[in-house]
Coordinates of all heavy atoms in Angstrom, one line a residue:
M5 N 24.6 31.4 32.6 CA 23.9 30.9 31.4 C 23.9 29.4 31.4 O 25.0 28.7 31.6 CB 24.6 31.4 30.2 CG 23.9 31.1 28.9 SD 24.5 32.2 27.6 CE 24.5 31.0 26.3
R6 N 22.8 28.7 31.1 CA 22.7 27.3 31.1 C 23.1 26.7 29.8 O 22.6 27.2 28.7 CB 21.2 26.9 31.4 CG 21.0 25.5 31.6 CD 19.6 25.3 32.1 NE 19.3 23.8 32.1 CZ 18.1 23.3 31.9 NH1 17.1 24.1 31.8 NH2 17.9 22.0 31.8
R7 N 23.9 25.6 29.8 CA 24.2 25.0 28.5 C 23.4 23.7 28.3 O 23.1 23.0 29.2 CB 25.7 24.6 28.6 CG 26.6 25.8 28.7 CD 28.0 25.3 28.7 NE 28.3 24.6 27.4 CZ 29.5 24.0 27.2 NH1 30.4 24.0 28.0 NH2 29.7 23.4 26.0
L8 N 23.0 23.4 27.1 CA 22.3 22.3 26.7 C 23.3 21.1 26.7 O 24.4 21.3 26.2 CB 21.6 22.4 25.4 CG 20.5 23.4 25.3 CD1 20.0 23.5 23.8 CD2 19.4 23.0 26.2
R9 N 22.9 19.9 27.1 CA 23.7 18.8 27.0 C 23.8 18.4 25.5 O 22.9 18.5 24.8 CB 23.0 17.6 27.8 CG 23.1 17.9 29.3 CD 22.5 16.7 30.0 NE 22.6 16.9 31.4 CZ 22.1 16.2 32.3 NH1 21.5 15.0 32.0 NH2 22.2 16.4 33.6
S10 N 24.9 17.8 25.2 CA 25.1 17.4 23.8 C 24.1 16.3 23.4 O 23.7 16.3 22.2 CB 26.5 16.9 23.6 OG 26.8 15.7 24.4
S11 N 23.7 15.5 24.3 CA 22.7 14.5 23.9 C 21.3 15.1 23.5 O 20.6 14.6 22.6 CB 22.5 13.4 25.0 OG 22.0 14.1 26.2
T12 N 21.0 16.2 24.2 CA 19.7 16.9 23.9 C 19.8 17.5 22.5 O 18.8 17.4 21.7 CB 19.5 18.0 24.9 OG1 19.5 17.4 26.2 CG2 18.1 18.7 24.7
V13 N 20.9 18.1 22.2 CA 21.1 18.7 20.9 C 21.1 17.6 19.8 O 20.4 17.8 18.7 CB 22.4 19.5 20.8 CG1 22.7 20.0 19.4 CG2 22.4 20.7 21.8
V14 N 21.7 16.6 20.0 CA 21.8 15.5 19.0 C 20.4 14.9 18.7 O 19.9 14.7 17.6 CB 22.8 14.4 19.4 CG1 22.6 13.2 18.5 CG2 24.2 14.9 19.4
L15 N 19.7 14.6 19.8 CA 18.3 14.1 19.7 C 17.4 15.0 19.1 O 16.6 14.6 18.2 CB 17.8 13.6 21.1 CG 18.4 12.4 21.7 CD1 17.9 12.2 23.1 CD2 18.2 11.2 20.9
G16 N 17.5 16.3 19.3 CA 16.7 17.3 18.7 C 16.9 17.4 17.2 O 16.0 17.4 16.4
G17 N 18.2 17.3 16.9 CA 18.6 17.4 15.4 C 18.1 16.2 14.7 O 17.7 16.2 13.5
M18 N 18.2 15.0 15.4 CA 17.7 13.7 14.7 C 16.2 13.8 14.4 O 15.7 13.3 13.4 CB 18.1 12.5 15.5 CG 19.6 12.3 15.7 SD 20.3 11.9 14.1 CE 19.7 10.3 13.8
G19 N 15.5 14.4 15.3 CA 14.0 14.5 15.2 C 13.7 15.4 14.0 O 12.8 15.1 13.2
V20 N 14.4 16.5 13.8 CA 14.2 17.4 12.7 C 14.5 16.7 11.4 O 13.8 16.8 10.4 CB 15.0 18.7 12.9 CG1 15.0 19.5 11.6 CG2 14.5 19.5 14.0
L21 N 15.6 16.0 11.4 CA 16.1 15.2 10.2 C 15.0 14.1 9.8 O 14.7 14.0 8.6 CB 17.4 14.6 10.4 CG 18.0 13.8 9.2 CD1 18.2 14.7 8.0 CD2 19.3 13.1 9.7
A22 N 14.6 13.4 10.8 CA 13.6 12.4 10.5 C 12.3 13.0 10.0 O 11.6 12.4 9.1 CB 13.2 11.6 11.8
A23 N 11.8 14.1 10.5 CA 10.6 14.8 10.0 C 10.8 15.2 8.6 O 9.8 15.1 7.8 CB 10.2 15.9 11.0
T24 N 11.9 15.8 8.3 CA 12.2 16.3 6.9 C 12.2 15.1 5.9 O 11.6 15.2 4.9 CB 13.5 17.0 6.9 OG1 13.5 18.1 7.8 CG2 13.8 17.5 5.5
I25 N 12.9 14.0 6.3 CA 12.9 12.8 5.4 C 11.5 12.2 5.2 O 11.2 11.9 4.0 CB 13.9 11.8 5.9 CG1 15.3 12.3 5.8 CG2 13.8 10.5 5.2 CD1 16.4 11.5 6.5
T26 N 10.8 12.1 6.2 CA 9.4 11.6 6.1 C 8.5 12.5 5.2 O 7.8 12.0 4.4 CB 8.8 11.4 7.5 OG1 9.6 10.6 8.3 CG2 7.4 10.9 7.5
A27 N 8.6 13.8 5.4 CA 7.8 14.7 4.6 C 8.2 14.6 3.1 O 7.3 14.7 2.3 CB 8.0 16.1 5.1
C28 N 9.5 14.5 2.8 CA 9.9 14.4 1.4 C 9.5 13.1 0.8 O 9.2 13.1 -0.4 CB 11.4 14.5 1.4 SG 12.0 16.2 1.7
G29 N 9.4 12.0 1.5 CA 9.1 10.7 1.0 C 7.6 10.3 1.0 O 7.2 9.3 0.6
S30 N 6.8 11.3 1.5 CA 5.4 10.9 1.7 C 4.7 10.8 0.3 O 5.0 11.5 -0.6 CB 4.7 11.9 2.6 OG 4.7 13.2 2.0
E31 N 3.7 9.9 0.3 CA 2.9 9.8 -0.9 C 1.7 10.7 -0.8 O 1.2 10.9 0.3 CB 2.4 8.4 -1.0 CG 3.5 7.4 -1.2 CD 4.0 7.4 -2.6 OE1 3.2 7.5 -3.6 OE2 5.2 7.3 -2.8
P32 N 1.2 11.2 -1.9 CA -0.1 12.0 -1.9 C -1.2 11.1 -1.6 O -1.2 9.9 -1.8 CB -0.2 12.5 -3.4 CG 0.6 11.6 -4.1 CD 1.7 11.1 -3.3
D33 N -2.3 11.7 -1.0 CA -3.5 10.9 -0.8 C -4.0 10.3 -2.1 O -3.9 10.9 -3.1 CB -4.6 11.8 -0.2 CG -4.3 12.3 1.2 OD1 -3.4 11.7 1.9 OD2 -4.9 13.3 1.6
K34 N -4.5 9.0 -2.0 CA -5.1 8.5 -3.2 C -6.4 7.8 -2.8 O -6.6 7.3 -1.7 CB -4.1 7.5 -3.9 CG -4.2 6.0 -3.4 CD -3.3 5.2 -4.2 CE -3.3 3.8 -3.7 NZ -2.4 2.9 -4.4
R35 N -7.4 8.0 -3.7 CA -8.7 7.4 -3.5 C -9.2 6.9 -4.8 O -8.8 7.4 -5.9 CB -9.6 8.5 -2.9 CG -9.6 9.8 -3.8 CD -10.4 10.9 -3.1 NE -9.9 11.3 -1.8 CZ -9.0 12.2 -1.5 NH1 -8.3 12.8 -2.4 NH2 -8.6 12.5 -0.3
C36 N -10.1 5.9 -4.8 CA -10.7 5.3 -5.9 C -11.9 6.2 -6.4 O -12.8 6.5 -5.6 CB -11.1 3.9 -5.6 SG -11.7 3.0 -7.0
V37 N -11.8 6.6 -7.7 CA -12.8 7.6 -8.2 C -13.3 7.1 -9.6 O -12.4 6.6 -10.4 CB -12.2 9.0 -8.2 CG1 -13.1 10.0 -8.9 CG2 -11.9 9.5 -6.9
D38 N -14.6 7.3 -9.9 CA -15.0 7.1 -11.3 C -14.5 8.2 -12.2 O -14.6 9.4 -11.8 CB -16.6 7.2 -11.2 CG -17.2 6.8 -12.6 OD1 -16.9 7.6 -13.6 OD2 -17.9 5.8 -12.7
R39 N -13.9 7.9 -13.2 CA -13.2 8.9 -14.2 C -14.2 9.9 -14.7 O -13.8 11.0 -15.0 CB -12.4 8.2 -15.2 CG -11.1 7.8 -14.9 CD -10.3 7.4 -16.1 NE -8.9 7.2 -15.8 CZ -7.9 8.1 -15.8 NH1 -8.3 9.3 -16.1 NH2 -6.7 7.8 -15.5
L40 N -15.4 9.5 -15.0 CA -16.4 10.3 -15.7 C -17.1 11.3 -14.7 O -17.2 12.4 -14.9 CB -17.4 9.5 -16.5 CG -16.8 8.6 -17.6 CD1 -17.9 7.8 -18.2 CD2 -16.2 9.5 -18.6
T41 N -17.6 10.7 -13.6 CA -18.4 11.5 -12.7 C -17.6 12.0 -11.5 O -18.0 12.9 -10.7 CB -19.5 10.6 -12.1 OG1 -18.9 9.5 -11.3 CG2 -20.4 10.0 -13.2
R42 N -16.4 11.5 -11.3 CA -15.5 11.9 -10.1 C -16.1 11.5 -8.8 O -15.7 11.9 -7.8 CB -15.1 13.4 -10.1 CG -14.4 13.9 -11.3 CD -12.9 13.9 -11.1 NE -12.1 14.2 -12.2 CZ -11.6 15.4 -12.5 NH1 -11.8 16.4 -11.7 NH2 -10.9 15.5 -13.6
E43 N -17.0 10.5 -8.8 CA -17.7 10.0 -7.6 C -16.7 9.1 -6.9 O -16.1 8.2 -7.6 CB -19.0 9.3 -7.9 CG -19.6 8.8 -6.7 CD -20.9 8.0 -7.1 OE1 -21.4 8.1 -8.2 OE2 -21.5 7.4 -6.2
Q44 N -16.5 9.2 -5.6 CA -15.7 8.3 -4.8 C -16.3 6.9 -4.8 O -17.5 6.7 -4.6 CB -15.4 8.8 -3.4 CG -14.4 8.0 -2.7 CD -14.0 8.6 -1.4 OE1 -14.6 9.5 -0.9 NE2 -12.9 8.1 -0.8
L45 N -15.4 5.9 -5.0 CA -15.9 4.5 -5.1 C -15.1 3.7 -4.1 O -14.0 4.1 -3.6 CB -15.5 3.9 -6.5 CG -16.2 4.6 -7.7 CD1 -15.6 4.0 -9.0 CD2 -17.6 4.4 -7.7
P46 N -15.6 2.5 -3.7 CA -14.8 1.6 -2.9 C -13.5 1.2 -3.6 O -13.4 1.1 -4.8 CB -15.7 0.4 -2.7 CG -17.1 0.8 -3.2 CD -16.9 1.9 -4.1
R47 N -12.5 1.0 -2.7 CA -11.1 0.7 -3.2 C -11.1 -0.5 -4.2 O -10.4 -0.5 -5.2 CB -10.2 0.5 -2.1 CG -8.7 0.3 -2.5 CD -7.8 0.2 -1.4 NE -7.7 1.5 -0.6 CZ -6.9 2.5 -0.9 NH1 -6.1 2.4 -2.0 NH2 -6.9 3.6 -0.2
Y48 N -12.0 -1.5 -3.9 CA -12.0 -2.7 -4.8 C -12.3 -2.4 -6.2 O -12.0 -3.1 -7.2 CB -12.7 -3.8 -4.2 CG -14.2 -3.6 -4.2 CD1 -15.0 -3.8 -5.4 CD2 -14.9 -3.1 -3.1 CE1 -16.4 -3.6 -5.4 CE2 -16.2 -2.9 -3.1 CZ -17.0 -3.1 -4.2 OH -18.4 -2.9 -4.2
E49 N -13.0 -1.2 -6.5 CA -13.4 -0.8 -7.8 C -12.2 -0.4 -8.7 O -12.3 -0.2 -9.9 CB -14.5 0.3 -7.8 CG -15.8 -0.1 -7.2 CD -16.7 -0.9 -8.1 OE1 -16.3 -1.3 -9.2 OE2 -17.9 -1.1 -7.7
C50 N -11.1 -0.2 -8.0 CA -9.9 0.3 -8.8 C -8.9 -0.9 -9.0 O -7.9 -0.7 -9.6 CB -9.2 1.4 -8.0 SG -10.0 3.0 -8.2
E51 N -9.2 -2.0 -8.5 CA -8.3 -3.2 -8.6 C -8.7 -4.0 -9.8 O -9.9 -4.4 -10.0 CB -8.4 -4.0 -7.3 CG -7.8 -3.2 -6.1 CD -8.1 -3.9 -4.8 OE1 -8.7 -5.0 -4.8 OE2 -7.7 -3.3 -3.8
S52 N -7.7 -4.3 -10.6 CA -8.1 -5.2 -11.8 C -8.5 -6.6 -11.4 O -8.0 -7.1 -10.4 CB -6.9 -5.2 -12.8 OG -5.8 -5.8 -12.2
G53 N -9.4 -7.2 -12.1 CA -9.9 -8.5 -11.9 C -10.9 -8.5 -10.7 O -11.3 -9.6 -10.2
S54 N -11.4 -7.4 -10.3 CA -12.3 -7.3 -9.1 C -13.7 -7.6 -9.5 O -14.6 -7.9 -8.7 CB -12.2 -5.9 -8.5 OG -12.8 -4.9 -9.3
G55 N -14.0 -7.6 -10.8 CA -15.3 -7.8 -11.2 C -16.3 -6.6 -10.9 O -17.5 -6.7 -10.8
G56 N -15.6 -5.5 -10.7 CA -16.4 -4.3 -10.4 C -17.1 -3.6 -11.5 O -17.9 -2.7 -11.3
S57 N -17.0 -4.1 -12.7 CA -17.7 -3.4 -13.8 C -19.1 -4.0 -13.9 O -19.5 -4.9 -13.2 CB -17.0 -3.7 -15.2 OG -17.1 -5.1 -15.4
S58 N -19.9 -3.4 -14.7 CA -21.3 -3.7 -14.8 C -21.5 -5.1 -15.4 O -22.5 -5.7 -15.1 CB -22.1 -2.7 -15.7 OG -21.5 -2.7 -17.0
S59 N -20.5 -5.7 -16.1 CA -20.7 -7.0 -16.6 C -20.6 -8.1 -15.6 O -21.1 -9.1 -15.7 CB -19.6 -7.3 -17.7 OG -18.4 -7.3 -17.1
G60 N -19.8 -7.8 -14.5 CA -19.7 -8.7 -13.4 C -18.8 -9.9 -13.6 O -18.8 -10.8 -12.8
T61 N -18.0 -9.9 -14.7 CA -17.1 -11.0 -14.9 C -15.7 -10.7 -14.3 O -15.3 -9.5 -14.3 CB -16.9 -11.2 -16.4 OG1 -16.5 -10.0 -17.1 CG2 -18.3 -11.6 -17.0
A62 N -15.1 -11.7 -13.8 CA -13.8 -11.6 -13.3 C -12.7 -11.3 -14.4 O -12.9 -11.7 -15.6 CB -13.4 -12.8 -12.6
G63 N -11.7 -10.5 -14.0 CA -10.6 -10.2 -15.0 C -11.0 -9.0 -15.9 O -10.3 -8.8 -16.9
T64 N -12.1 -8.3 -15.5 CA -12.4 -7.1 -16.4 C -11.6 -5.9 -16.0 O -11.0 -5.8 -14.9 CB -14.0 -6.8 -16.2 OG1 -14.2 -6.6 -14.7 CG2 -14.8 -8.0 -16.7
T65 N -11.8 -4.9 -16.8 CA -11.2 -3.6 -16.5 C -11.9 -3.0 -15.3 O -13.1 -3.0 -15.2 CB -11.3 -2.6 -17.8 OG1 -10.7 -3.3 -18.9 CG2 -10.6 -1.3 -17.5
P66 N -11.1 -2.4 -14.4 CA -11.7 -1.8 -13.2 C -12.6 -0.6 -13.6 O -12.3 0.1 -14.6 CB -10.5 -1.3 -12.4 CG -9.3 -1.6 -13.1 CD -9.6 -2.3 -14.3
R67 N -13.6 -0.4 -12.8 CA -14.5 0.7 -13.1 C -13.9 2.1 -12.7 O -14.1 3.1 -13.4 CB -15.8 0.5 -12.2 CG -16.8 1.7 -12.3 CD -18.0 1.4 -11.5 NE -18.8 2.6 -11.3 CZ -19.6 2.8 -10.3 NH1 -19.7 1.9 -9.3 NH2 -20.2 4.0 -10.2
G68 N -13.1 2.1 -11.6 CA -12.5 3.4 -11.1 C -11.1 3.4 -11.4 O -10.4 2.5 -11.9
S69 N -10.6 4.6 -11.1 CA -9.1 4.9 -11.2 C -8.7 5.6 -10.0 O -9.5 6.3 -9.3 CB -8.8 5.8 -12.4 OG -9.2 5.1 -13.6
Y70 N -7.4 5.5 -9.6 CA -7.0 6.2 -8.5 C -6.7 7.7 -8.8 O -6.2 8.1 -9.8 CB -5.6 5.6 -8.0 CG -5.8 4.3 -7.3 CD1 -5.3 3.1 -7.8 CD2 -6.5 4.2 -6.1 CE1 -5.5 1.9 -7.1 CE2 -6.7 3.0 -5.4 CZ -6.2 1.9 -5.9 OH -6.5 0.7 -5.3
Y71 N -7.2 8.5 -7.9 CA -7.2 10.0 -7.9 C -6.3 10.5 -6.8 O -6.5 10.1 -5.7 CB -8.6 10.5 -7.8 CG -8.8 12.0 -8.1 CD1 -8.9 12.4 -9.3 CD2 -8.9 12.8 -7.0 CE1 -9.1 13.8 -9.6 CE2 -9.1 14.2 -7.3 CZ -9.2 14.7 -8.6 OH -9.4 16.0 -8.8
Y72 N -5.3 11.2 -7.1 CA -4.3 11.6 -6.2 C -4.5 13.1 -5.7 O -4.7 13.9 -6.6 CB -2.9 11.4 -6.8 CG -2.6 10.0 -7.2 CD1 -2.9 9.6 -8.5 CD2 -2.1 9.1 -6.2 CE1 -2.6 8.2 -8.8 CE2 -1.9 7.8 -6.5 CZ -2.1 7.4 -7.8 OH -1.9 6.0 -8.1
G73 N -4.3 13.3 -4.4 CA -4.4 14.7 -3.9 C -5.9 15.1 -3.9 O -6.8 14.4 -4.0
G74 N -6.0 16.4 -3.7 CA -7.3 17.0 -3.7 C -8.1 16.7 -2.5 O -7.6 16.3 -1.5
S75 N -9.4 16.8 -2.6 CA -10.3 16.5 -1.5 C -11.7 15.9 -2.0 O -11.9 15.9 -3.2 CB -10.6 17.7 -0.7 OG -11.2 18.7 -1.5
V76 N -12.5 15.4 -1.1 CA -13.8 14.9 -1.5 C -14.8 15.6 -0.7 O -14.8 15.8 0.5 CB -13.9 13.4 -1.2 CG1 -15.3 12.9 -1.5 CG2 -12.9 12.6 -2.0
S77 N -15.8 16.1 -1.4 CA -17.0 16.7 -0.8 C -18.2 16.2 -1.4 O -18.3 16.2 -2.7 CB -16.9 18.3 -1.0 OG -18.0 18.9 -0.5
D78 N -19.2 15.8 -0.6 CA -20.4 15.1 -1.2 C -20.1 14.0 -2.1 O -20.7 13.9 -3.2 CB -21.3 16.2 -1.8 CG -21.8 17.2 -0.9 OD1 -22.1 16.9 0.3 OD2 -22.0 18.4 -1.3
R79 N -19.1 13.2 -1.7 CA -18.6 12.0 -2.5 C -18.1 12.4 -3.9 O -17.9 11.5 -4.8 CB -19.8 11.0 -2.7 CG -20.2 10.4 -1.4 CD -21.2 9.3 -1.4 NE -20.8 8.3 -2.4 CZ -20.0 7.2 -2.2 NH1 -19.4 7.1 -1.1 NH2 -19.8 6.3 -3.2
K80 N -17.8 13.6 -4.2 CA -17.2 14.0 -5.5 C -15.7 14.5 -5.2 O -15.5 15.4 -4.3 CB -17.9 15.2 -6.1 CG -19.3 14.8 -6.5 CD -19.4 14.1 -7.7 CE -20.9 13.8 -8.1 NZ -21.1 13.1 -9.3
A81 N -14.7 14.0 -5.9 CA -13.3 14.4 -5.8 C -13.1 15.7 -6.6 O -13.6 15.8 -7.7 CB -12.5 13.3 -6.3
S82 N -12.2 16.5 -6.1 CA -11.8 17.7 -6.8 C -10.5 18.2 -6.3 O -10.0 17.8 -5.2 CB -12.9 18.8 -6.7 OG -12.9 19.2 -5.3
G83 N -9.8 19.0 -7.1 CA -8.5 19.6 -6.8 C -7.3 18.7 -6.8 O -6.2 19.1 -6.4
G84 N -7.5 17.5 -7.4 CA -6.3 16.6 -7.5 C -6.1 16.2 -9.0 O -6.5 16.9 -9.9
S85 N -5.6 15.0 -9.2 CA -5.2 14.6 -10.6 C -5.3 13.0 -10.6 O -4.9 12.3 -9.6 CB -3.9 15.1 -11.0 OG -3.5 14.6 -12.2
F86 N -5.5 12.5 -11.8 CA -5.4 11.1 -12.0 C -3.9 10.7 -12.2 O -3.5 9.6 -12.2 CB -6.3 10.6 -13.2 CG -7.7 10.6 -12.9 CD1 -8.6 11.6 -13.3 CD2 -8.3 9.6 -12.0 CE1 -9.9 11.6 -13.0 CE2 -9.6 9.6 -11.7 CZ -10.4 10.6 -12.2
D87 N -3.1 11.7 -12.5 CA -1.7 11.5 -12.7 C -0.9 11.8 -11.4 O -0.9 12.9 -10.9 CB -1.2 12.5 -13.8 CG 0.3 12.4 -14.1 OD1 1.0 11.5 -13.6 OD2 0.8 13.3 -14.8
K88 N -0.4 10.7 -10.8 CA 0.3 10.8 -9.5 C 1.4 11.8 -9.6 O 1.7 12.6 -8.6 CB 0.8 9.4 -9.1 CG 1.5 9.4 -7.8 CD 1.9 8.0 -7.5 CE 2.6 7.8 -6.2 NZ 3.0 6.4 -5.9
T89 N 2.2 11.9 -10.7 CA 3.4 12.8 -10.8 C 3.0 14.2 -10.8 O 3.8 15.2 -10.6 CB 4.2 12.4 -12.0 OG1 3.5 12.6 -13.2 CG2 4.7 11.0 -11.9
A90 N 1.7 14.5 -11.1 CA 1.2 16.0 -11.2 C 0.9 16.6 -9.9 O 0.6 17.7 -9.7 CB 0.0 16.1 -12.1
V91 N 0.8 15.7 -8.8 CA 0.4 16.1 -7.5 C 1.7 16.3 -6.6 O 2.5 15.4 -6.5 CB -0.5 15.1 -6.8 CG1 -0.9 15.5 -5.5 CG2 -1.7 14.9 -7.7
D92 N 1.8 17.5 -6.0 CA 3.0 17.8 -5.2 C 2.8 17.1 -3.8 O 1.9 17.6 -3.1 CB 3.1 19.3 -5.1 CG 4.3 19.7 -4.3 OD1 5.3 18.8 -4.1 OD2 4.4 20.9 -3.9
S93 N 3.6 16.2 -3.5 CA 3.5 15.6 -2.1 C 4.7 16.0 -1.3 O 4.8 15.4 -0.2 CB 3.5 14.1 -2.3 OG 4.7 13.6 -2.9
G94 N 5.5 16.9 -1.7 CA 6.7 17.2 -0.9 C 6.5 18.1 0.3 O 5.4 18.7 0.4
G95 N 7.3 18.0 1.2 CA 7.2 18.8 2.4 C 8.3 19.9 2.4 O 8.8 20.3 1.4
F96 N 8.7 20.3 3.6 CA 9.7 21.4 3.8 C 11.0 20.9 3.1 O 11.6 19.9 3.3 CB 9.9 21.6 5.2 CG 11.1 22.6 5.5 CD1 10.8 23.9 5.3 CD2 12.3 22.1 6.0 CE1 11.8 24.8 5.6 CE2 13.3 23.1 6.2 CZ 13.1 24.4 6.0
G97 N 11.5 21.8 2.2 CA 12.8 21.6 1.5 C 12.8 20.5 0.5 O 13.8 20.1 0.1
C98 N 11.7 20.1 0.0 CA 11.6 19.0 -1.0 C 11.5 19.6 -2.4 O 10.9 20.7 -2.6 CB 10.5 18.1 -0.7 SG 10.5 17.2 0.8
S99 N 12.0 18.9 -3.3 CA 12.0 19.4 -4.7 C 11.3 18.3 -5.5 O 11.5 17.1 -5.3 CB 13.3 19.6 -5.2 OG 13.3 19.9 -6.6
R100 N 10.5 18.7 -6.5 CA 9.8 17.7 -7.3 C 10.7 17.2 -8.4 O 10.4 16.3 -9.1 CB 8.5 18.3 -7.9 CG 7.5 18.6 -6.9 CD 6.3 19.2 -7.5 NE 5.8 18.5 -8.8 CZ 4.8 18.9 -9.5 NH1 4.1 19.9 -9.1 NH2 4.4 18.2 -10.5
T101 N 11.8 17.8 -8.6 CA 12.8 17.4 -9.6 C 14.0 16.7 -8.9 O 14.2 16.9 -7.7 CB 13.3 18.6 -10.4 OG1 13.9 19.5 -9.5 CG2 12.2 19.2 -11.2
G102 N 14.7 15.9 -9.6 CA 15.8 15.2 -9.1 C 15.4 14.0 -8.2 O 14.3 13.5 -8.3
G103 N 16.3 13.6 -7.4 CA 16.1 12.4 -6.5 C 15.4 12.6 -5.2 O 15.2 11.7 -4.5
G104 N 15.0 13.9 -4.8 CA 14.6 14.1 -3.5 C 13.1 14.1 -3.4 O 12.5 13.9 -2.4

């Protein structure tokens, strides 16, 4: 019977640990979306002071808002939320409660 070297076991275990930590700490997808129509917008439309509103003045309220999770089909977002905390971004063994 062949025995695995201890370095192989340690490196394999570190890879699994790194993958788990990365999955737990990952952020949900976010995209800039018009709140009324759910149409996907360029990212600058979600940044304050971008002048992205119809008035064209700097320092105005952004036209879009960030939409987390879900997907986009025909430029329309669905299946996600404007509330980042409402979207589950956890991976294997992650909990939405607590510090993990």
Side-chain angles (χ1 to χ4, degrees):
M5 188 166 140
R6 186 174 169 208
R7 294 183 62 190
L8 292 175
R9 292 183 180 175
S10 61
S11 61
T12 303
V13 173
V14 169
L15 288 175
M18 293 298 287
V20 170
L21 178 62
T24 303
I25 290 171
T26 302
C28 289
S30 64
E31 294 286 318
D33 291 340
K34 89 175 175 182
R35 53 190 55 89
C36 186
V37 172
D38 184 297
R39 277 192 171 270
L40 298 177
T41 65
R42 299 262 170 105
E43 180 182 351
Q44 188 171 15
L45 301 171
R47 185 171 295 273
Y48 68 83
E49 294 282 7
C50 284
E51 297 168 359
S52 62
S54 66
S57 69
S58 59
S59 67
T61 58
T64 59
T65 304
R67 176 180 165 205
S69 297
Y70 285 115
Y71 189 80
Y72 299 94
S75 62
V76 175
S77 178
D78 296 324
R79 298 190 41 87
K80 299 280 185 178
S82 64
S85 174
F86 288 104
D87 180 9
K88 183 178 180 180
T89 60
V91 179
D92 184 16
S93 62
F96 175 75
C98 297
S99 172
R100 288 179 51 181
T101 60

